[in-house]
Amino acid sequence: MIKRLTQQGLSKMSLAAFILLTTALVMPVAAQPLTPAEIDALQKQLVEARNVAAALDARVQCYVDRDISFHQRSKQLQLNAAGLHQQEDELSARLQQEKYKAESFERDYVSARNDMHNLKRKMDAIQHHIRRLKAELDDCKSKAWIFGFVCVFAGEISGLNSHRRNLDADSKAALIKMPSLEKNLRDAERRKNQAQQELQKTQNQLNQTTRDLAATEAEIKSLKASLARIREVKQDYSSELNQFEYAFNEFENLDPASDRRFVVRRLRHESEDLKGLLAQARGLLDENGLLLPTGKRICAN
């Protein structure tokens, strides 16, 4: 009987201890009221946080504006490259035509020049033959002065003279033709060189445009990565700033004579959470904009 009463007493004491322990865990610890110095520090933190938020907004907007500008430049460069490719194709076709014409005129010119050389060689050979026959004719006549009619070289000399005159006429005709052929060849060479220069110029422009396009695409890639990073920080930062502002406003709007322990705890908690994000945001802003792969810096402080 005594033993049972003792066990019942212990059970009641254990239950009372459990209730006290549970109440202690559930009930919040009394928060110390904010001192004037703490309130002033929180106000300064709020002002600084708002300034950093405005700076983040400005940096994000600058990045967005430059991203739009880079995309517009990329689009224009792509259009320029397409036009230059078409121009390159047209100039390549034109160059091939001019090369063909120049080669054709050169063949005509070389053929005419060879013809002139051949005519001159034939004329020189005939002239030499005529001089030889005349010498033989004179020698024949001197030896057979009474019977000069037996010397029969005169007819052959006459035929050679006729052939020489024909060759001389052909040579003069070729000589008249040569300046025209030379002019055609010079004009064809000039047009070919001009087409070659224009093609080279277009290819240089295309190569430069291709390099500019690659550089712009690299800038866009770098900018997008930085923009995504700062947007992520800004989103977390803005969310925490809103919670801090709400807690601060709630604290200011409560009657100081009322029990503000829960609001004070929340305000201190939000202040601590904001400090880390505030430091992270300031770190981004201290980077002085973005250094692009091309060496340019944008959105600097």
Side-chain angles (χ1 to χ4, degrees):
M1 180 69 177
I2 295 173
K3 184 178 181 181
R4 188 167 56 248
L5 289 174
T6 303
Q7 290 177 346
Q8 289 177 353
L10 290 173
S11 297
K12 290 180 179 179
M13 290 178 63
S14 299
L15 179 61
F18 175 76
I19 293 173
L20 288 174
L21 179 60
T22 304
T23 304
L25 292 174
V26 173
M27 291 182 62
V29 178
Q32 295 295 326
L34 293 174
T35 64
E38 285 181 301
I39 295 174
D40 183 63
L42 289 170
Q43 288 175 333
K44 290 181 179 178
Q45 183 184 14
L46 180 59
V47 171
E48 180 186 7
R50 286 171 174 169
N51 290 337
V52 169
L56 280 175
D57 289 340
R59 181 67 60 84
V60 169
Q61 187 60 51
C62 180
Y63 281 8
V64 170
D65 292 342
R66 296 308 297 267
D67 185 51
I68 293 173
S69 175
F70 288 166
H71 274 91
Q72 290 175 342
R73 187 203 305 171
S74 175
K75 182 178 180 181
Q76 185 59 54
L77 287 170
Q78 291 177 32
L79 291 174
N80 293 347
L84 288 170
H85 274 300
Q86 181 179 357
Q87 187 174 345
E88 181 185 34
D89 292 340
E90 293 172 354
L91 285 172
S92 295
R94 174 184 160 195
L95 177 60
Q96 292 303 317
Q97 292 176 354
E98 296 300 340
K99 281 183 176 179
Y100 176 79
K101 291 179 181 178
E103 291 170 357
S104 177
F105 283 124
E106 185 176 13
R107 286 193 297 269
D108 292 343
Y109 174 77
V110 171
S111 177
R113 187 180 59 190
N114 291 337
D115 289 344
M116 284 189 62
H117 289 165
N118 291 334
L119 288 170
K120 185 176 183 302
R121 187 172 62 253
K122 290 178 180 180
M123 289 176 63
D124 290 343
I126 290 174
Q127 188 67 33
H128 175 74
H129 195 187
I130 290 174
R131 284 197 298 269
R132 182 175 60 79
L133 290 176
K134 282 185 176 181
E136 291 178 359
L137 178 61
D138 291 340
D139 182 65
C140 177
K141 288 181 177 181
S142 65
K143 292 178 180 179
W145 58 276
I146 298 176
F147 304 102
F149 61 90
V150 299
C151 299
V152 294
F153 298 105
E156 185 177 355
I157 292 174
S158 176
L160 289 173
N161 281 330
S162 176
H163 190 195
R164 186 191 64 180
R165 285 192 296 271
N166 292 334
L167 291 175
D168 186 56
D170 292 341
S171 179
K172 288 180 179 178
L175 193 61
I176 294 173
K177 184 180 179 181
M178 283 299 294
S180 175
L181 292 174
E182 289 178 354
K183 182 179 182 304
N184 290 340
L185 179 58
R186 286 196 304 270
D187 290 344
E189 288 290 339
R190 176 181 55 79
R191 289 192 299 269
K192 183 190 72 174
N193 292 335
Q194 183 179 2
Q196 181 67 60
Q197 292 172 359
E198 291 179 9
L199 177 60
Q200 186 62 53
K201 180 180 178 182
T202 298
Q203 289 174 337
N204 292 340
Q205 291 175 339
L206 179 58
N207 292 337
Q208 184 60 51
T209 301
T210 302
R211 289 192 294 268
D212 292 343
L213 180 58
T216 300
E217 292 298 325
E219 289 178 338
I220 291 174
K221 182 179 180 181
S222 175
L223 178 56
K224 282 191 177 299
S226 184
L227 182 57
R229 175 168 161 247
I230 196 172
R231 274 177 168 163
E232 182 179 358
V233 171
K234 180 179 177 296
Q235 182 178 0
D236 295 340
Y237 180 82
S238 298
S239 176
E240 185 56 45
L241 175 58
N242 289 337
Q243 294 181 35
F244 178 69
E245 286 180 326
Y246 180 83
F248 192 86
N249 291 334
E250 187 179 17
F251 169 79
E252 286 191 321
N253 291 330
L254 286 178
D255 183 0
S258 66
D259 186 6
R260 301 191 293 180
R261 289 176 298 175
F262 175 76
V263 175
V264 169
R265 280 196 303 272
R266 179 182 174 187
L267 183 56
R268 283 174 173 158
H269 175 73
E270 298 297 348
S271 174
E272 288 300 318
D273 287 348
L274 182 61
K275 285 180 182 178
L277 292 173
L278 185 59
Q280 187 179 14
R282 277 199 301 256
L284 281 178
L285 295 174
D286 289 342
E287 289 180 2
N288 194 27
L290 175 64
L291 183 63
L292 297 173
T294 54
K296 295 185 296 185
R297 187 178 294 277
I298 62 170
C299 301
N301 297 333

